[in-house]
Amino acid sequence: MTQRNTDDTRPAASSDPLLQPLSIKHLVLKNRVMSTSHASRLIQGEFPQEVYQRYHEEKARGGIGLTMFGGSSNVSIDSPNTFQQINMGVDEVVPHLQRFSERVHAHGAALMCQITHLGRRGDPYAEPWLPMLAPSARRETLHRAIPQAMSEHDIKRIVSDFGRAARRCMEGGLDGLETHAGGHLIGQFLDPTVNLRTDRYGGSATNRCRFAIEVHEAIRNEVGDAYPVGLRFALEDGCSFEESLEMARILQQSELFDFFNVVYGRMDTKMSLIVNSMPGMFMPSAPWLSKAAAFRRAVRLPVFHAAKIADLATARYAIGEGLIDMVGMTRAHIAEPHLVRLIETGREEAARPCVGGSYCRNTKATCIHNPATARETFLPHEIAPSATPRKVLVVGAGPAGLEAARVCASRGHRVSLLEAADRAGGQVLLAASGSWRKDLIGIVDWRVGELERLGVEVRYNQYAELGDVLEQRPDVVIVATGGIPDLDALAGGQWCRSVADALSDTPPKGGRVLVYDGTGRHNAYLCAERYVAAGLDVRLALLDALPAQETGGRGDDLVWMRNLEKWQVPVRAHVELTQVQRGDAGVLRAIFRHQLTGDLVEMEAEHVVVERGTIAVDDLFEAARVHSVNDGQTDLAAFARGAAQPLGQPANGDAQFHLYRIGDAVASRDIHTAIYDAYRLCVAM
């Protein structure tokens, strides 16, 4: 294990509360900012290899005090790989940990791992197809396993597994570790609604704490008393706050723990997970900070806490007022891994903000508007200047165009940006119009601010045509003109309102509203919300089986389902809109084909709002192709790896510039993809 400076008496380099050191036994953390353990889904072959390590190393390079990794890392064979966790149950992991700790320590950061047994939270149908275990045979709603009640032999075996996994952490050069109670096996013993045992592991708080204490005794036997060891502890997980404190004091009195990493509430349903453990955009900032602060006042150990603390003002308040001892800013670092370095250099206003989009809860820890995160092996976070500055014209100031202009200007190119509307943002402006999605506007505001700082010329209210492009005599033209609602191909589409119109126009004064969702994205539900708020009678028809399916990986589908239930909006699923007819007295007849039965279904309303995605606005692109060196073609192999586009030979004698298109000007996709298109096209241009 890397030894660190133990002199905690030297004067701090800054009066900023976030930059003060914190001692955990011999370990001195250089500041109070951390990234908590999470399942980034970046492992290779069950181990944290190059992609995984580079993802965390970037935070260390960015100045973070502590980066914890290995969310839900397994210690036993019957804690399966349910969501791409690290296997800490075998010695083969140690060389990977050693390389990992060396690269993080090289930047002065500390590195810890979370080790756990999932208990009933695992998947019994994942390899090696073993039954899940729990204190009692109580099913977990989220992961659906009906577990086997543990025998004392199971307890003894798993306790030993925890000890051996801890030894691997120490042999791997890590600076410490934490175990996981909330919702996992240790927490299942603590939870009186899950632990129904009548033996010495159940009943009283002391008995329910016995398993946790035995686990940590085994850990201490392997790593010794000097090694920092903590517990991720869930408050009010199946019991009251007072009962949580009682168990925390029992654990504290064992003198086996060096810190508590406090989370709040249950995590055994999808809704409780996105409300309590991983609060989404619909939740307020730092929703459980007051609970963590009350806990800290009642215990003597240092308290870590993370739950939607995404902005530096809140983080600084939490540390400065002594509410907690370490502030977890995990998602903020997914958005801006150099956050601490920007604080240290007085440039925190330049930090890319976390907008709370929860895109990082998708299949990998990708940020909705930082395309380099989780792609560090081939995309840089810091943009290098170009050796050959060029004149670049970007058309369209949606997320793709703004990002293209920002990256090109950061490379040192002379950039002009033309936008037909009177402000930047494109479809993000509509996305941010909903009651709980307003923070998305940070994606636009940050980029507009960066363009001002970089001196990019932005012209609003200019609908660019070919003559405007040719007049500029650019070396590169990037078309980011987005898309328009796809209504033309719908029979009777002229009688309908697009979601773009519905979100930007004044709602009608009366009449029934039928909203059709043909994509599973947010837009149809934003429309339903807008019309319900206007007091209209709203119904919803959708192509999918359940609402908002493209948002489901982030839990936003549940938010919309909850809202629809609260609004009492009738929902008809499995239907595809095929035609809209205009009837008498302004009534519209929408005709659907049921996807399961093939039957035709008719619904009537005075207003029909349709979401079918967008079709590319490509008129300018097609007109400009004849004047381009590359005929508007993008080398997809270079594009996919973020490499420079080949210069190539002119497609014709009149060629004047290289031409590319990105974002929804190519096809209807999401915000992240539009920004990713722009970044990987321009970062090596």
Side-chain angles (χ1 to χ4, degrees):
M1 182 178 68
T2 299
Q3 296 296 313
R4 317 185 90 74
N5 191 339
T6 58
D7 179 11
D8 198 15
T9 61
R10 65 192 187 285
S14 169
S15 60
D16 190 327
L18 294 176
L19 300 182
Q20 306 310 305
L22 176 69
S23 294
I24 307 289
K25 288 190 169 171
H26 74 282
L27 175 67
V28 179
L29 303 174
K30 64 180 180 178
N31 57 57
R32 302 300 184 97
V33 182
M34 66 180 290
S35 174
T36 55
S37 302
H38 56 287
S40 62
R41 302 176 188 260
L42 298 175
I43 66 166
Q44 297 166 275
E46 295 190 315
F47 302 127
Q49 301 193 51
E50 183 72 9
V51 173
Y52 195 107
Q53 293 179 26
R54 291 281 295 277
Y55 165 70
H56 281 275
E57 183 186 13
E58 199 66 40
K59 304 175 191 183
R61 181 180 286 112
I64 202 167
L66 168 64
T67 187
M68 301 183 83
F69 72 98
S72 307
S73 296
N74 297 311
V75 302
S76 301
I77 191 171
D78 47 7
S79 181
N81 192 330
T82 300
F83 29 85
Q84 296 188 41
Q85 307 101 292
I86 296 170
N87 184 359
M88 293 295 295
V90 294
D91 289 341
E92 286 83 353
V93 74
V94 173
H96 300 289
L97 300 181
Q98 290 170 341
R99 288 191 292 273
F100 196 176
S101 59
E102 286 173 4
R103 70 196 317 165
V104 169
H105 290 158
H107 302 287
L111 184 67
M112 294 188 186
C113 183
Q114 179 186 97
I115 60 174
T116 194
H117 191 295
L118 293 173
R120 68 176 188 156
R121 196 170 176 79
D123 180 358
Y125 308 116
E127 291 294 346
W129 285 64
L130 297 173
M132 297 301 94
L133 299 177
S136 306
R138 294 296 305 275
R139 179 178 181 266
E140 190 202 63
T141 303
L142 180 58
H143 291 86
R144 306 185 66 81
I146 300 176
Q148 170 190 352
M150 293 171 67
S151 68
E152 293 221 11
H153 290 289
D154 294 322
I155 291 173
K156 183 177 180 180
R157 169 178 58 83
I158 292 171
V159 163
S160 297
D161 288 344
F162 268 102
R164 286 189 288 270
R167 173 177 48 79
R168 295 181 188 107
C169 289
M170 188 169 69
E171 290 175 349
L174 306 185
D175 298 291
L177 64 90
E178 71 172 7
T179 60
H180 194 331
H184 292 213
L185 185 58
I186 292 174
Q188 291 160 28
F189 273 91
L190 300 178
D191 182 350
T193 68
V194 177
N195 182 354
L196 307 179
R197 301 174 74 99
T198 57
D199 62 4
R200 62 197 183 104
Y201 292 96
S204 68
T206 298
N207 280 356
R208 297 200 311 276
C209 288
R210 191 180 307 278
F211 178 72
I213 289 174
E214 290 182 357
V215 163
H216 280 261
E217 286 174 340
I219 289 172
R220 286 298 178 200
N221 287 338
E222 294 285 352
V223 302
D225 293 335
Y227 195 66
V229 176
L231 173 69
R232 184 176 289 197
F233 183 73
L235 300 172
E236 299 187 47
D237 183 5
C239 60
S240 68
F241 185 80
E242 290 70 25
E243 290 175 292
S244 299
L245 283 182
E246 180 185 3
M247 289 187 291
R249 291 188 180 112
I250 292 169
L251 297 173
Q252 183 176 256
Q253 288 168 4
S254 72
E255 298 188 348
L256 297 167
F257 301 85
D258 298 312
F259 61 87
F260 287 114
N261 189 356
V262 175
V263 295
Y264 178 80
R266 303 191 71 88
M267 52 189 297
D268 55 358
T269 69
K270 190 173 180 180
M271 196 69 194
S272 65
L273 190 67
I274 65 172
V275 169
N276 298 331
S277 183
M278 303 176 190
M281 182 179 283
F282 67 101
M283 291 288 288
S285 175
W288 311 122
L289 180 57
S290 62
K291 293 283 188 180
F295 179 82
R296 183 185 184 272
R297 291 192 295 270
V299 299
R300 66 174 184 269
L301 294 177
V303 171
F304 302 175
H305 176 62
K308 203 181 177 184
I309 302 177
D311 64 284
L312 290 173
T314 302
R316 192 169 280 121
Y317 165 75
I319 297 297
E321 295 298 314
L323 306 184
I324 54 178
D325 298 286
M326 284 289 289
V327 60
M329 302 190 74
T330 310
R331 284 180 281 187
H333 273 80
I334 292 174
E336 180 52 81
H338 299 161
L339 188 61
V340 175
R341 189 176 69 187
L342 291 172
I343 301 171
E344 292 172 337
T345 56
R347 297 182 296 132
E348 62 183 68
E349 73 286 346
R352 180 188 284 99
C354 173
V355 298
S358 295
Y359 202 88
C360 46
R361 291 193 62 221
N362 274 351
T363 55
K364 293 183 179 179
T366 47
C367 173
I368 192 170
H369 74 132
N370 185 345
T373 292
R375 299 184 178 106
E376 285 80 8
T377 55
F378 66 97
L379 285 180
H381 282 270
E382 295 181 297
I383 300 170
S386 171
T388 56
R390 291 185 277 178
K391 186 176 183 180
V392 178
L393 175 65
V394 181
V395 183
L402 288 172
E403 181 72 350
R406 181 190 75 86
V407 176
C408 287
S410 298
R411 292 273 287 156
H413 300 306
R414 291 172 294 139
V415 181
S416 297
L417 175 61
L418 307 182
E419 167 56 41
D422 60 1
R423 62 178 294 197
Q427 293 182 63
V428 176
L429 300 179
L430 299 179
S433 67
S435 62
W436 58 275
R437 293 178 55 75
K438 294 184 184 300
D439 286 350
L440 286 174
I441 201 62
I443 295 170
V444 175
D445 291 346
W446 181 73
R447 285 172 172 77
V448 170
E450 286 293 284
L451 296 189
E452 291 174 357
R453 180 182 66 81
L454 292 164
V456 172
E457 177 191 18
V458 183
R459 299 185 199 170
Y460 295 112
N461 297 304
Q462 181 161 350
Y463 186 90
E465 296 181 332
L466 180 60
D468 301 307
V469 173
L470 298 177
E471 181 182 339
Q472 294 250 352
R473 303 184 64 83
D475 300 307
V476 178
V477 176
I478 300 173
V479 175
T481 44
I484 58 174
D486 181 13
L487 292 184
D488 290 348
L490 174 65
Q494 70 270 25
W495 309 119
C496 305
R497 307 184 93 195
S498 70
V499 289
D501 289 338
L503 290 172
S504 55
D505 293 346
T506 302
K509 298 295 184 182
R512 297 165 296 174
V513 178
L514 174 61
V515 178
Y516 172 64
D517 172 24
T519 66
R521 301 173 184 175
H522 286 279
N523 289 342
Y525 305 93
L526 291 168
C527 292
E529 174 186 69
R530 183 176 175 84
Y531 285 131
V532 167
L536 297 170
D537 177 11
V538 179
R539 287 177 294 165
L540 177 69
L542 54 133
L543 182 60
D544 295 316
L546 293 168
Q549 284 300 282
E550 282 198 20
T551 74
R554 305 181 287 281
D556 291 352
D557 58 334
L558 289 189
V559 180
W560 288 124
M561 289 182 204
R562 182 193 66 177
N563 290 351
L564 291 169
E565 185 71 23
K566 183 168 58 178
W567 301 330
Q568 298 184 330
V569 171
V571 178
R572 185 69 183 265
H574 296 294
V575 291
E576 180 181 12
L577 181 61
T578 60
Q579 184 178 3
V580 177
Q581 299 173 348
R582 187 172 179 83
D584 297 332
V587 174
L588 300 177
R589 182 181 298 109
I591 301 173
F592 300 86
R593 184 174 300 280
H594 200 284
Q595 295 295 289
L596 302 183
T597 66
D599 295 338
L600 295 181
V601 177
E602 294 186 3
M603 302 183 200
E604 291 188 344
E606 281 69 39
H607 313 281
V608 176
V609 178
V610 175
E611 159 64 338
R612 293 177 8 132
T614 61
I615 55 176
V617 176
D618 58 3
D619 295 354
L620 176 63
F621 174 79
E622 292 297 337
R625 282 177 57 187
V626 69
H627 299 278
S628 69
V629 173
N630 59 331
D631 194 31
Q633 298 303 301
T634 300
D635 184 303
L636 295 182
F639 181 67
R641 65 179 187 273
Q645 290 290 305
L647 295 179
Q649 296 298 316
N652 60 74
D654 297 325
Q656 300 179 30
F657 47 77
H658 285 79
L659 174 68
Y660 307 99
R661 60 174 170 167
I662 55 177
D664 282 7
V666 181
S668 179
R669 292 168 292 167
D670 63 13
I671 294 171
H672 173 80
T673 307
I675 293 172
Y676 184 26
D677 272 6
Y679 195 85
R680 58 181 166 173
L681 174 69
C682 300
V683 74
M685 183 177 288

